[in-house]
Amino acid sequence: MLTLGTIETKGRDRMSGQEEAQAWVEELEKRLASLDRERAHVAAQLDEARKAASALATEAESKAASPQDAPVTMASPTVDKVALFRCLFRGREDVFPRRWDNPRSGKSGYSPVCHNEWLRGVCGKPKVKCGECPNQAFTAVTDEVVRNHLQGRDPAASGRGAGFIAGVYPLLPDETCWFLAADFDKKEWRRDVSAFLATCREKAVPAALERSRSGNGGHVWIFFSEPVPAAEARRLGAWLITETMERCPDIGFDSYDRFFPSQDTMPAGGFGNLIALPLQRVPRGSDNSVFLDDAFRLYADQWAVLSTLRRMSRSEVAALVGEAAAAGRVLGVRLPVADEDEEPWAAPPSRRRKEEPIRDLPERVEVVVGN
């Protein structure tokens, strides 16, 4: 039988338990707040450490590419700059594309430079592809072409102010290439480029970052000291992409567009995909189409940086790709839907064509998931 005394005792025990629980909650909240403050402090220190490391790395790069040590600098004669440019950004030399703009339609694009272009009775565009035209008279790459591109000077413009913008077809007729360029655009291109460059540095792959003509994207260039099979160069890029995504699985890599060369083999009746050449005078005025350090700062001497950048040998590329393939570290890379050079006069400025929606989808699709 319960008495008033036992009821009062049980009430005191219950109150005591509630007080202890509340005290425990308050203690844990204090500990959590303390940990939050400590985490914020450590995060701030980490941010400062990263900035210091980046500054030291940039300083080291600047010293490595200092003008006094560089074979070619901004003070070098034009002939030396042109020779360096042609050595690095080297593709097909029997033909090159140039940019065109139609002010009436607002369209622009690139097409091969041909002496017979639009010549009535000779040029078959747009019905006949340039690569299949029987009356080809393509203009070869010369020192004058490179000078005109760098200076933005169009000899045929007669003072109308039109700029001369050249591109390059990286894929050679024997399906080799002198460089590999990775194209990044969209909103998060800086984040993805930073991750990709970090992988290149980690794997001792020399790479140079160029901000695109528009300023809304970037190209990462890897140069070779001798022609490398395009398939092997692209596998090198695929390995670097794979390693970057492994290190940074949270970034998604949506800004990665494609590699140049964009094909392993030469498309029939075409030249392969083109890429615009950097350092043209007009975008340079806005600090675009120029080379940046890993912190996206403009190099003061573009020529000093380019002339001191190491170029990879064919054997070095083959060794890296072989090791990566043996370890299963090479994923497939994105291919363009079609050869963009089939109708360059119809391509939009971004080089991306409008995709038609897929129709007549099957009711059932069987998928095998592996690895």
Side-chain angles (χ1 to χ4, degrees):
M1 180 177 179
L2 292 176
T3 65
L4 181 59
T6 57
I7 292 175
E8 291 177 349
T9 301
K10 288 180 178 292
R12 285 197 300 269
D13 291 342
R14 188 163 49 248
M15 290 299 296
S16 176
Q18 290 176 350
E19 291 173 356
E20 289 178 359
Q22 183 62 33
W24 188 26
V25 169
E26 292 176 356
E27 180 184 352
L28 291 176
E29 288 177 342
K30 290 180 181 179
R31 289 175 58 188
L32 186 59
S34 176
L35 289 173
D36 287 340
R37 288 193 297 271
E38 183 179 359
R39 185 183 185 283
H41 179 65
V42 172
Q45 288 184 320
L46 178 59
D47 186 54
E48 290 298 324
R50 284 174 173 166
K51 289 180 180 178
S54 176
L56 290 172
T58 302
E59 182 181 356
E61 289 179 2
S62 299
K63 289 181 178 178
S66 58
Q68 59 266 27
D69 300 328
V72 181
T73 69
M74 59 191 304
S76 298
T78 301
V79 63
D80 293 344
K81 297 175 183 176
V82 169
L84 173 63
F85 192 92
R86 293 192 64 180
C87 186
L88 290 175
F89 305 98
R90 187 171 177 180
R92 289 191 61 156
E93 298 191 343
D94 59 327
V95 58
F96 72 93
R98 68 164 293 179
R99 182 182 173 92
W100 54 265
D101 294 274
N102 188 326
R104 288 180 297 178
S105 66
K107 294 182 178 180
S108 61
Y110 288 82
S111 60
V113 178
C114 178
H115 293 294
N116 292 333
E117 185 178 25
W118 302 121
L119 190 62
R120 182 173 298 180
V122 179
C123 177
K125 292 198 310 185
K127 294 182 179 180
V128 180
K129 301 175 185 177
C130 291
E132 298 176 353
C133 179
N135 301 315
Q136 295 174 349
F138 296 132
T139 301
V141 179
T142 63
D143 288 354
E144 182 181 8
V145 168
V146 173
R147 281 196 301 271
N148 290 340
H149 168 80
L150 294 174
Q151 298 170 2
R153 179 171 57 88
D154 188 351
S158 302
R160 289 177 294 176
F164 181 88
I165 304 168
V168 59
Y169 295 116
L171 187 61
L172 303 181
D174 64 355
E175 298 176 347
T176 62
C177 58
W178 286 92
F179 63 78
L180 177 75
D183 185 21
F184 295 85
D185 53 25
K186 298 183 181 177
K187 182 179 179 180
E188 302 295 340
W189 73 272
R190 286 174 175 261
R191 178 200 62 186
D192 295 353
V193 162
S194 292
F196 186 75
L197 284 173
T199 300
C200 291
R201 308 304 182 223
E202 179 183 309
K203 304 299 181 183
V205 174
L209 168 62
E210 174 218 354
R211 183 156 51 213
S212 65
R213 286 179 48 83
S214 66
N216 298 320
H219 303 139
V220 178
W221 300 78
I222 300 171
F223 300 103
F224 308 130
S225 59
E226 55 192 315
V228 170
E232 204 156 78
R234 287 165 46 76
R235 282 196 290 271
L236 172 70
W239 169 60
L240 293 171
I241 291 285
T242 303
E243 293 296 323
T244 304
M245 296 181 70
E246 180 75 14
R247 285 193 314 104
C248 309
D250 58 317
I251 66 175
F253 243 66
D254 292 336
S255 72
Y256 162 70
D257 185 19
R258 69 188 64 189
F259 289 126
F260 296 93
S262 299
Q263 296 88 7
D264 293 345
T265 59
M266 183 66 70
F271 311 100
N273 291 74
L274 66 92
I275 182 171
L277 289 170
L279 298 179
Q280 204 263 2
R281 181 185 63 83
V282 176
R284 273 205 330 261
S286 302
D287 288 343
N288 293 332
S289 196
V290 292
F291 288 87
L292 314 174
D293 64 20
D294 289 9
F296 299 94
R297 292 174 297 206
L298 177 70
Y299 284 114
D301 193 325
Q302 299 280 299
W303 299 103
V305 172
L306 291 175
S307 66
T308 53
L309 186 68
R310 187 174 68 85
R311 303 169 211 173
M312 300 183 72
S313 68
R314 180 169 178 169
S315 60
E316 184 181 1
V317 173
L320 286 175
V321 170
E323 292 175 7
R329 305 296 294 171
V330 180
L331 299 181
V333 294
R334 185 178 305 161
L335 281 171
V337 175
D339 177 21
E340 293 177 355
D341 300 312
E342 290 180 356
E343 294 181 349
W345 50 87
S350 65
R351 306 189 313 278
R352 291 181 174 178
R353 302 180 184 276
K354 182 178 180 181
E355 296 183 5
E356 294 295 328
I358 300 175
R359 306 182 188 278
D360 301 326
L361 294 175
E363 295 182 359
R364 180 185 177 90
V365 177
E366 293 187 1
V367 179
V368 178
V369 180
N371 193 19

